[in-house]
Amino acid sequence: MSEEATEVFVEHRNLLFTVAYEMLGSAADAEDVLQETWLKWVGVDLAEVRDRRAYLVRITTRQALIRLRTLRRRKESYVGPWLPEPLLTAPDVADDVELADSVSMAMLLVLETLNPTERAVFVLRDVFDLEYDEIAEAVDKTPAAVRQIAHRARAHVAARRPRGEVTQAQTRDALEAFQRASATGDLQGLVDILAPDVVFLGDGGGVVQAVVVPVVGVRKVSRLLAAGLSRIATMGTLEPAQVNGHPALVFRVDGEIDTVLAVRVGDGLVTGVYAVRNPEKLSRIEQETAVSR
């Protein structure tokens, strides 16, 4: 293990973590992928490597693809809806609009609908701007095939993105409506910003109580939120936080994190409400996780 290899890996570590996390939606699995990347990297002859960043990204992508297929099997037996592992991110992540969008809970859920190769190609091309020939080496396809995959994945994602331009301020306003409803018991202001087809997803992972099927429609979601927010008002505190590059809320009971609440906004209305309650997914909210491009 050379000192130079260590320096190069550390220099690109945040980038590699972000690549793995965007492919997997799991910080714990992304960390495992980084460990596997490191073990392969220390055996490389650096004199033979022309572009070290691209080489490291290629190793990370290959390891993430292997793990992604394992994760898919794990998700098939997951109890209730599966949501990405939320990350507490630095405020300046929001300044890079493309990066913030790419790690958002809403986008990670869209990426879940791609197959593993499409997901890798989309992340590497549209988020990290790698060349087609570099991506081809990472996913064992020809550059021509990668172009076709990228086009298909881009169209798929575009059809499922939130509608309209979404700003941090709009998301913050929506979450403030949640806080007001919790504090005052007045739900009308919250109901007014819910889209007619709003979807609520709760992730308890079978470990803690959560809705085990998606709840759809403003009437059903508002009833569910009314019950949840009354619990919040009597049992704990609802605090703002920057999660996955966007404003979110953290519910604490006796100082311990109980739920991370994120929203998806489209055309000025809340189209998705995501409540992560699985304790195994909440450790990253206690300290910032660095993400970068």
Side-chain angles (χ1 to χ4, degrees):
M1 176 177 62
S2 72
E3 188 175 322
E4 185 179 10
T6 303
E7 288 176 357
V8 173
F9 185 85
V10 171
E11 178 187 354
H12 296 296
R13 189 190 188 285
N14 292 344
L15 162 72
L16 301 177
F17 172 84
T18 309
V19 170
Y21 176 71
E22 291 197 15
M23 286 185 59
L24 302 170
S26 163
D29 286 285
E31 292 288 2
D32 288 343
V33 163
L34 256 62
Q35 182 64 26
E36 292 156 5
T37 299
W38 165 250
L39 292 174
K40 290 187 176 296
W41 174 245
V42 294
V44 171
D45 181 357
L46 296 188
E48 300 293 319
V49 179
R50 178 178 53 83
D51 185 334
R52 294 171 177 182
R53 176 182 182 271
Y55 196 97
L56 277 165
V57 168
R58 185 162 75 237
I59 298 174
T60 300
T61 300
R62 288 178 172 173
Q63 296 304 311
L65 278 171
I66 294 169
R67 188 162 290 258
L68 185 55
R69 294 181 176 104
T70 302
L71 269 180
R72 291 216 157 192
R73 290 193 293 273
R74 200 190 305 166
K75 288 172 189 172
E76 289 171 3
S77 59
Y78 198 81
V79 179
W82 180 95
L83 288 171
E85 184 178 349
L87 308 178
L88 183 68
T89 49
D92 62 2
V93 171
D95 297 337
D96 185 338
V97 176
E98 289 184 357
L99 176 62
D101 179 58
S102 71
V103 298
S104 69
M105 298 285 279
M107 176 56 77
L108 290 173
L109 282 172
V110 171
L111 294 182
E112 282 292 307
T113 63
L114 297 172
N115 69 42
T117 302
E118 288 173 338
R119 185 166 183 168
V121 169
F122 179 85
V123 167
L124 295 180
R125 179 62 185 170
D126 283 53
V127 180
F128 296 97
D129 201 30
L130 264 66
E131 298 297 332
Y132 288 111
D133 57 345
E134 293 176 323
I135 300 172
E137 290 186 35
V139 299
D140 292 324
K141 302 284 185 184
T142 66
V146 167
R147 284 180 180 274
Q148 289 184 325
I149 294 168
H151 177 76
R152 186 169 66 241
R154 199 173 294 123
H156 182 99
V157 169
R160 290 160 177 79
R161 280 182 185 272
R163 299 181 294 272
E165 189 78 18
V166 181
T167 66
Q168 296 269 327
Q170 285 177 312
T171 303
R172 197 173 293 110
D173 288 347
L175 290 165
E176 285 174 357
F178 278 82
Q179 286 184 292
R180 281 195 300 274
S182 170
T184 65
D186 179 13
L187 278 169
Q188 191 56 49
L190 178 56
V191 173
D192 289 344
I193 64 165
L194 297 178
D197 57 350
V198 60
V199 177
F200 179 98
L201 299 177
D203 181 343
V207 181
V208 296
Q209 184 178 6
V211 292
V212 294
V213 294
V215 179
V216 183
V218 64
R219 185 173 298 175
K220 291 181 179 179
V221 171
S222 60
R223 280 205 300 266
L224 179 66
L225 291 175
L229 291 174
S230 63
R231 172 176 175 263
I232 288 171
T234 57
M235 292 182 60
T237 59
L238 206 54
E239 307 163 355
Q242 196 77 2
V243 175
N244 288 61
H246 292 269
L249 294 172
V250 176
F251 174 47
R252 291 180 184 269
V253 177
D254 296 328
E256 297 294 322
I257 296 173
D258 177 277
T259 306
V260 171
L261 189 73
V263 296
R264 166 177 165 149
V265 178
D267 287 341
L269 296 174
V270 174
T271 60
V273 182
Y274 311 125
V276 183
R277 301 202 65 226
N278 185 345
E280 296 173 3
K281 294 186 177 183
L282 299 178
S283 61
R284 291 272 174 167
I285 300 301
E286 293 291 7
Q287 59 184 24
E288 282 183 7
T289 297
V291 295
S292 69
R293 290 200 294 162

